[in-house]
Each structure stands twice: as structure tokens, then as C-alpha cells.
Amino acid sequence: MEEYSELPPIGDTGGYELLPVPKLEELGYGDVSQEYIPPFRGGETEALKRMRESLQDKEWVAKFEKPKGDPSAFLKPATTVLSPYLKFGCLSARYFYHCIQDVYRSTKTHTKPPVSLAGQLLWRDFFYTVSFGTPNFDQMEGNKICKQIPWIENEELFVAWRDGRTGYPWIDAIMIQLRKWGWMHHLARHSVACFLTRGDLYIHWEQGRDVFERLLIDSDWAINNGNWLWLSCSSFFYQYHRIYSPISFGKKYDPNGDYIRHFIPVLKDMPKEYIYEPWTAPLSVQEKARCIVGKDYPKPVVDHEAASKECRRRMGEAYASNRLGGNPVKGNSSNSSRRKFSDGGQDVPDSSMSKQPR
């Protein structure tokens, strides 16, 4: 290994040309002057400040337990929001880990991995390790740890999910927060990932992965792919019958729908009785709220109760085919689960379903 006793003077690049910082237009962006500015600032100084603020509350650190937390908390998120800083190297994962250990030493008891705060950093390394040792980790085909599931192709449903136009306010608010902030709570990510894949739309997890890869400010190749494999029940987690309800799950954290009202302003005057199911509101109520479902806000793209039942059936068939060594053929688009809007499905999160220090 070569050793250097001194560095060249600042600005001395030898025979190399210094390229200018590319303009936004050159990176494929248009006019961003009116864009919504995310509330998270970048850089190491901000990362260290946010870490210290989080660790000041020693009781919170000691009792931290994923996947618990309030996914609807947006003014003051219920997690550290340090994942973007870890992703970009603004915060050393090793330094963060030892700072957590310092807090643990000053408390009588604390939670343990895998649910503890330190445990989230271990999950991070877990996915790095698995992804390194698994060929084709970022796809279903040729991935030996991924169940082969005949997901359907439905561009209309996919676009509705991606753009926050599914007609389910809880799902749409999360996807709009993703587009505006580039971040959302881990349980919010669970909700929309389940809805896209095994919960309602039965669309390939790779498509959802690509959207997260593009929009998340904390998107990390190993962790993003690992979580989509997990949440779609393609690998790691296999209780496909446990489905997040797009109605009751958010309601139990935020019964007034403040989160929805913030990210979907057209619903801000909808009474709380209907905020999670605006299509059930009488026309007179919709008119008073100045939000006509089907005009100002979309009708649900699927009936959750029927769609989730169909997804369970298809997942059961796919699992059976995998056990028998079969290779399920690609599924076809289905409209059998549309309309008759009623709530259904389970919304109990599994204690091991969140694998990222968000």
C-alpha cells in the first residue's frame, strides 16, 4: 500500500478536469421552484443534531420497540428519522450504535434486539449480508429465497396506487407523503406495500420497490428489496393471511383523520365518521364537505373485503405450488374484486415485520 506524507494543495487537480455540479435540468428535473420542500435537511451536522435530540430522551430509547409507534404522526414523527443520514453516510452506523449503548448503560432496563433501537441497526446489517450472499436478490426470477408468485399485471391499478388515487384515504395519504417528503413511518410503508401486493391489488413487489427506490430519501438497495420481499410474503415472513386493513388500521391511531386531512386537503372538511371511507358518506354530507366522491376524490379501485379474500386464495395456491416444486405461471389481470365497498381483513402487525432504522 502506498503511503503519502502530504496531500496536494487545494485546487491542484493535476491533469484532471473538474466538472461542474450538474444543473437540475440536466438531471431530468423541470421547474422545482414551486415544489413542496421536505422537512428534512441533509448533512452531517443535521444528522448529529437529530441523533442527539433523539437520544436525549433516555426513557424513549430504553423502551423503543418496533414495530410499535404511530404511523400517522407527521408533525413530530414517532421514530428518529435517521435512516436518510445513515443511507448517505452523514451519520456513522457504528457511532450511532455506540451512542445507543451509552444510553443503555445509564438505564436499568431496555428492550432487546430485534425490536430495540440497536436491533434496527442489526437488521440493517442482516439485509446487507443476505443481499450480498443471494444472487438476484432484487428480483423474483432466479432468486432462490424468493417464493415464485404469479402476480398480476394491471397498469391502471398500479398507477392509482403510485399516484395516491386508490380511493382509500389512508393509503393515498401515505403515498402523497412519500411523494412530497420522501419519507414515511415504517408502519405506513407496511400498509401501502401490503395493499399493493398480497393485501388488495396482487401486483408484483418489484413495481412497488421501484417506486420506493425512486422517491424515498432513505432508499437503500439491500434494505428496500429486503423489506419488499418481507412485506409481500415472498421471503422471510410467510403469514400471508395477516393483512393490513386500509380502513381500520390507520383509524386506530388517528380517529379524527388529521394525517389524511393534511396530505389530502380535498378531504379536510369530511366528518371524521367518513374520513376513512368517504364513499359511504351521504351525498348531502359530501356536498357540505365540498368533496364529491367520484368527482373531487376517486372511488375505491377495489372492494377491500373481496380483494383481500381473493389475494389470500391466490397466495395459498402459490405457496402450495412452491411446496410441490411447481413454477406458477404469470397471472392475468382481474377485475373480480371491484366495487361493493366494505371494510375487512386483519390489521395486526407482526413484531418482526419492520427492518430499517427509520
Side-chain angles (χ1 to χ4, degrees), residues 60 63-71 78-79 111 115 120 185-187 190 249 253 349-352 354:
W60 179 82
K63 293 182 177 180
F64 183 94
E65 186 176 352
K66 259 190 172 179
K68 294 180 180 179
D70 184 353
T79 59
T111 53
V115 299
Q120 306 316 302
H185 189 274
H186 56 274
L187 289 179
H190 290 187
F249 185 70
Y253 294 99
D350 182 80
S351 62
S352 60
S354 177

Side-chain angles (χ1 to χ4, degrees), residues 7 50 88 100 139 144 159 189 195 224 273 305 344-345:
L7 293 174
R50 182 174 288 274
F88 281 105
I100 295 172
Q139 62 188 54
K144 64 182 180 181
V159 169
R189 303 183 193 205
F195 186 88
N224 189 31
E273 294 83 2
E305 185 175 18

